[in-house]
């Protein structure tokens, strides 16, 4: 695991499997922005229009949608979890 800062000092972790596969995850929204299988090309799309600013969801990748998807409930579109700051507790 490697910690880093991404756009506008948003903290991220880069997880690397024993076989060399990697995933990049921003702690803001627990948002997966990159995944690359071992010895292969990147598999996720991150929009060039992705904004790294508090209060705005990261565009592209794999977001956490909780407690609702889209605007199918009383909360913000796709819920509030993708706008929160998460904490990495363990890599086991």
């Amino acid at each position: 695991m490697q910690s880093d800062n991404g756009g506008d000092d948003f903290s991220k972790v880069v997880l690397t499997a024993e076989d060399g596969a990697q995933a990049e995850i921003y702690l803001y929204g627990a948002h997966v922005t990159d995944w690359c299988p071992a010895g292969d090309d990147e598999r996720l799309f991150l929009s060039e229009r992705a904004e790294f600013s508090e209060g705005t969801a990261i565009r592209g990748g794999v977001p956490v949608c909780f407690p609702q998807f889209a605007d199918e409930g009383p909360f913000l579109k796709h819920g509030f979890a993708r706008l929160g700051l998460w904490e990495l507790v363990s890599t086991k």
Side-chain angles (χ1 to χ4, degrees), residues 8-91:
D8 292 342
D9 292 327
F10 273 35
S11 294
K12 68 179 176 181
V13 293
V14 177
L15 303 176
T16 304
E18 289 181 19
D19 66 359
Q22 286 192 329
E24 175 182 274
I25 304 154
Y26 279 85
L27 298 180
Y28 179 73
H31 199 112
V32 180
T33 54
D34 189 30
W35 173 62
C36 186
D40 209 340
D41 294 328
E42 183 177 325
R43 299 286 175 97
L44 294 179
F45 169 79
L46 186 62
S47 175
E48 292 177 0
R49 296 184 299 175
E51 293 183 35
F52 290 86
S53 59
E54 205 169 312
T56 303
I58 298 171
R59 186 181 183 115
V62 180
V64 174
C65 296
F66 179 83
Q68 70 189 40
F69 184 73
D71 56 0
E72 298 296 318
F75 301 107
L76 296 169
K77 186 175 181 181
H78 302 310
F80 53 81
R82 64 193 235 146
L83 298 179
L85 187 58
W86 291 61
E87 177 183 353
L88 177 65
V89 175
S90 175
T91 60

